[in-house]
Amino acid sequence: MANVVVVGAQWGDEGKGKIVDWLSERADVVARFQGGHNAGHTLVIDGTIYKLNALPSGVVRGGKLSVIGNGVVLDPWHLVKEIETIRGQGVEVTPETLMVAENTPLILPFHGELDRAREGQNAMAKIGTTGRGIGPCYEDKVGRRVIRVADLADDATLELRVDRALVHHNALRAGLGLPEIDRDALLASLREIAPEILKYAAPVWKVLNEKRRAGNRILFEGAQGALLDIDFGTYPFVTSSNTIAGQAATGTGIGPGSIDFVLGIVKAYTTRVGEGPFPTELDDADGERLGTRGREFGTVTGRKRRCGWFDAVLVRQTCATSGMNGIALTKLDVLDGFETLKVCVGYDLDGERLDHLPTAADQQARCTPVYEELPGWQESTEGARSWADLPANAIKYVRRVEELIDCPVALLSTSPERDDTILVTDPFAD
Ligand code: GDP
Ligand code: IMO
Ligand code: MG
């Protein structure tokens, strides 16, 4: 039995939601293991659009267990709203179909306020955060002052945890010119939301290990992308969690040896939301065309995504740091109609040729891409469901991408619709 990890191989929004939904037909459990509701995963099923932030993308299929692991940071009020919205679309969510790890940290309203207050300070470099409190909540987790799901079950513990957090946050807020937190109001709203969350609470590590032993297939759904990883991303323009495949183990409590296949989701070009380096970014008509054809607007914030050519150097690097066994190449259809396509195959740094992105921020900023040109295709690939439907130049492009990133294509996606997908290698195959 195979367990599969899906991770974004670029700066997020590669199409993880669509691919996880498609693969979840073959899985019994779908588990999120990091990030929070900064994620925006889009599924399109027979023309109906589902937008998920905190819920795993497997939730839309009946008969699967959806899991929110301890590596996630969870806004309880957002989760309740998201469940209501998805129920309104006819999806069933019950304690039998959704589990939340008892050791999951909670995002509280002051985390989002802190995100936004810091971003508003002119003296500090802007990250372009979604402002949803993800970073400040992870800081509290590592600082050993976060409130976790299990703390909601006992009032005395909850008060103790809140007081511990407030000592730190009120001091910080005074420095930022923010008002003190209203302790009683915060406790009251936590007491009110507690039963709504506790009904889904479970020892996820135990459940997943039992499921694994029983031969169930687990699909781990990553959020963000490997270039937003706190260690291996374009620091400090990153998110506050490990987004690479190794996190699937620590973010759920399953051993790393239980992971059989790592699937990287790769967009056929490159996009980025928010600030930070982007060597192949296009500021011209080609960039506009990618953005328009690809409908590149953020799911969470509505911001226009920055667009550029495919960067094989970066994806080769992320295939290495996540140990990808294969990739799903998405949005190939967006490249239809280009005369010529460019692919970045190296960088020039002060006259020297590099085969990877250097770590130092000043060097990253000075890297200029070295391009290889490939012929485009005029035929439509939109909705293609087999290799035979693809024009020869599209196949050449895919083959060249595989060579350059040193990783084979397992899946190809040719539209937002669930079934417009070409299977090359089944990640769940034994
Ligand atoms: P995620 O965050 O990785 O799940 O990706 P998002 O949902 O934020 O963004 C990907 C967008 O591309 C969504 O609007 C998808 O519906 C759409 N999409 C996914 N795969 C394809 C594809 O193969 N072709 C096209 N044209 N759109 C796609
Ligand atoms: P999915 O799962 C794209 C970006 C933000 C910002 C930086 C830090 O949909 O691929 P944060 O809110 O984490 O403090 O923001 O990371 N970012 C994403 N970009 N897709 C995402 O998620 C993202 N989640 C965060 O734009 O630059
Ligand atoms: Mg997204």
Side-chain angles (χ1 to χ4, degrees):
M1 288 303 140
N3 299 317
V4 175
V5 176
V6 166
V7 284
Q10 292 150 317
W11 277 293
D13 305 323
E14 299 91 348
K16 297 176 292 294
K18 165 175 169 168
I19 300 297
V20 168
D21 166 58
W22 191 86
L23 280 174
S24 65
E25 190 186 11
R26 293 164 153 76
D28 302 295
V29 182
V30 182
R32 278 279 308 265
F33 56 87
Q34 48 72 229
H37 63 310
N38 51 348
H41 296 179
T42 318
L43 284 56
V44 185
I45 303 161
D46 296 331
T48 305
I49 302 175
Y50 302 86
K51 287 180 190 287
L52 301 171
N53 301 127
L55 287 169
S57 297
V59 81
V60 176
R61 301 232 185 212
K64 313 284 171 192
L65 175 64
S66 290
V67 166
I68 295 179
N70 58 279
V72 168
V73 283
L74 182 70
D75 180 324
W77 297 278
H78 183 92
L79 181 70
V80 168
K81 253 195 264 159
E82 198 176 321
I83 291 173
E84 269 171 31
T85 305
I86 198 102
R87 274 193 190 132
Q89 291 189 284
V91 174
E92 200 191 4
V93 183
T94 68
E96 279 69 52
T97 62
L98 175 68
M99 269 181 200
V100 178
E102 293 166 325
N103 47 346
T104 305
L106 296 178
I107 300 177
L108 301 183
F110 56 78
H111 290 129
E113 282 173 39
L114 191 54
D115 239 353
R116 297 186 291 272
R118 283 174 176 158
E119 201 81 320
Q121 306 261 315
N122 289 333
M124 292 177 76
K126 250 179 105 115
I127 304 292
T129 160
T130 60
R132 294 195 156 189
I134 309 298
C137 183
Y138 277 119
E139 287 171 36
D140 277 1
K141 170 180 171 172
V142 178
R144 294 171 291 196
R145 57 176 171 266
V146 91
I147 294 151
R148 310 200 298 180
V149 166
D151 299 330
L152 294 171
D154 179 70
D155 205 58
T157 309
L158 186 62
E159 283 198 25
L160 210 71
R161 294 279 187 270
V162 165
D163 286 336
R164 193 182 166 95
L166 293 202
V167 169
H168 175 85
H169 278 277
N170 280 331
L172 190 58
R173 289 168 69 92
L176 289 166
L178 293 171
E180 267 202 10
I181 295 162
D182 183 337
R183 175 184 185 270
D184 293 339
L186 175 62
L187 274 167
S189 55
L190 280 168
R191 287 179 187 124
E192 192 190 345
I193 202 82
E196 294 304 315
I197 301 301
L198 287 170
K199 63 181 170 203
Y200 303 109
V204 155
W205 65 270
K206 191 166 181 291
V207 174
L208 287 186
N209 276 281
E210 284 164 4
K211 294 266 179 204
R212 184 182 62 79
R213 280 167 188 271
N216 282 257
R217 291 168 157 187
I218 307 169
L219 179 57
F220 296 90
E221 177 181 6
Q224 289 81 52
L227 297 170
L228 290 169
D229 183 273
I230 188 74
D231 288 297
F232 293 101
T234 45
Y235 194 89
F237 303 100
V238 293
T239 191
S240 296
S241 64
N242 282 115
T243 58
I244 60 175
Q247 175 63 19
T250 45
T252 57
I254 206 154
S258 303
I259 294 163
D260 303 289
F261 195 100
V262 180
L263 181 72
I265 313 300
V266 178
K267 202 180 277 194
Y269 49 99
T270 313
T271 62
R272 168 161 213 173
V273 206
E275 311 302 314
F278 182 171
T280 63
E281 182 169 13
L282 291 169
D283 225 353
D284 58 8
D286 286 335
E288 277 296 316
R289 186 184 162 94
L290 289 171
T292 309
R293 283 188 58 87
R295 301 205 181 117
E296 297 295 354
F297 290 90
T299 315
V300 174
T301 57
R303 285 177 290 178
K304 200 171 170 181
R305 295 174 183 152
R306 299 155 64 191
C307 297
W309 295 120
F310 184 73
D311 191 331
V313 179
L314 288 179
V315 176
R316 184 168 58 231
Q317 199 160 323
T318 60
C319 280
T321 52
S322 274
M324 310 292 191
N325 299 101
I327 64 158
L329 191 66
T330 63
K331 305 191 95 163
L332 188 67
D333 54 295
V334 175
L335 299 182
D336 293 353
F338 277 93
E339 203 59 48
T340 307
L341 297 164
K342 289 186 184 177
V343 172
C344 172
V345 295
Y347 300 124
D348 181 285
L349 177 65
D350 308 331
E352 194 191 335
R353 172 84 179 248
L354 296 185
D355 66 356
H356 68 283
L357 189 70
T359 305
D362 64 309
Q363 293 188 2
Q364 288 182 352
R366 289 205 309 282
C367 276
T368 54
V370 177
Y371 284 118
E372 181 175 297
E373 289 195 359
L374 293 163
W377 55 90
Q378 302 310 310
E379 302 90 330
S380 169
T381 64
E382 197 187 336
R385 294 186 182 185
S386 80
W387 279 110
D389 296 337
L390 298 178
N393 282 350
I395 296 177
K396 267 190 210 150
Y397 184 83
V398 175
R399 292 301 182 213
R400 187 63 185 137
V401 164
E402 286 180 312
E403 255 170 28
L404 288 168
I405 66 171
D406 202 15
C407 189
V409 166
L411 290 161
L412 261 170
S413 168
T414 57
S415 101
E417 268 288 342
R418 176 188 267 178
D419 293 323
D420 292 338
T421 305
I422 302 173
L423 175 65
V424 182
T425 308
D426 185 353
F428 278 112
D430 288 328

